[in-house]
């Protein structure tokens, strides 16, 4: 491996060490309902985001709280020597995408049927430090 290539690979590796992410796939909640809660914590410090999710009455907040704790654990696994309080982590990115849709039929008047769409979603949460997201 050349010198420049090796330096570039080490720089990319160092940048990836500062970022941690977690994914939640096929969550049986409508993406619209999940986005309402996700918008509350986007760009917020991790400690404040955990407090927001813990005291929010929506069901989606319980799932996002668990996902945020998983992302924190992933960050700690990458940075074993670093202190969590000194890291100044924020929720750099949170994305809620539509997942698979279960289609069901519900009886309607006069022999007709209405389609019920049971939606699910995929959530991707990325943690980063304050100075990385400013660049």
């Amino acid at each position: 491996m050349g010198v420049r290539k090796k330096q570039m690979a080490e720089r990319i590796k160092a940048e990836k060490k500062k970022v941690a992410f977690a994914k939640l796939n096929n969550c049986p909640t409508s993406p619209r309902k999940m986005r309402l809660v996700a918008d509350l914590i986007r760009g917020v410090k991790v400690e404040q985001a955990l407090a927001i999710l813990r005291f929010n009455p929506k069901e989606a907040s319980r799932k996002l709280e668990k996902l945020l704790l998983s992302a924190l654990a992933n960050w700690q696994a990458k940075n074993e020597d670093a202190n969590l309080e000194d890291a100044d982590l924020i929720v750099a990115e949170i994305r809620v995408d539509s997942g698979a849709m279960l289609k069901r039929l519900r009886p309607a008047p006069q022999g007709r049927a209405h389609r019920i769409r049971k939606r699910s979603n995929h959530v991707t949460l990325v943690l980063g430090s304050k100075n990385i997201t400013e660049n």
Side-chain angles (χ1 to χ4, degrees):
M1 186 182 317
V3 175
R4 282 193 330 219
K5 195 171 184 181
K6 189 172 187 177
Q7 289 172 347
M8 185 69 166
E10 297 213 359
R11 196 175 88 225
I12 290 172
K13 187 177 178 182
E15 287 176 8
K16 283 186 177 182
K17 197 169 187 179
K18 297 175 185 172
V19 176
F21 70 96
K23 285 184 178 183
L24 173 64
N25 286 332
N26 296 319
C27 179
T29 307
S30 140
R32 189 173 179 180
K33 291 178 184 177
M34 188 66 85
R35 280 189 198 108
L36 286 173
V37 181
D39 291 341
L40 294 174
I41 63 169
R42 185 175 287 118
V44 176
K45 287 187 177 183
V46 171
E47 296 84 14
Q48 188 178 356
L50 280 172
I52 289 170
L53 293 174
R54 184 157 294 132
F55 295 108
N56 194 334
K58 295 188 179 291
E59 182 195 347
S61 65
R62 307 287 170 262
K63 295 175 181 174
L64 282 181
E65 181 184 3
K66 197 171 179 181
L67 183 68
L68 182 56
L69 290 172
S70 173
L72 272 174
N74 292 342
W75 186 87
Q76 284 180 328
K78 279 185 176 180
N79 305 289
E80 293 171 351
D81 55 335
N83 191 1
L84 188 62
E85 288 78 28
D86 298 338
D88 198 31
L89 290 174
I90 63 168
V91 179
E93 179 183 344
I94 182 165
R95 201 170 50 246
V96 180
D97 300 320
S98 180
M101 203 181 311
L102 297 174
K103 294 176 180 166
R104 301 288 181 256
L105 293 176
R106 169 161 288 163
Q110 298 181 354
R112 290 196 272 270
H114 290 158
R115 181 171 285 169
I116 303 293
R117 293 184 301 267
K118 296 189 174 193
R119 300 174 189 270
S120 67
N121 64 52
H122 307 309
V123 184
T124 306
L125 191 140
V126 179
L127 294 181
S129 57
K130 196 93 163 159
N131 53 14
I132 287 182
T133 55
E134 290 173 357
N135 292 336

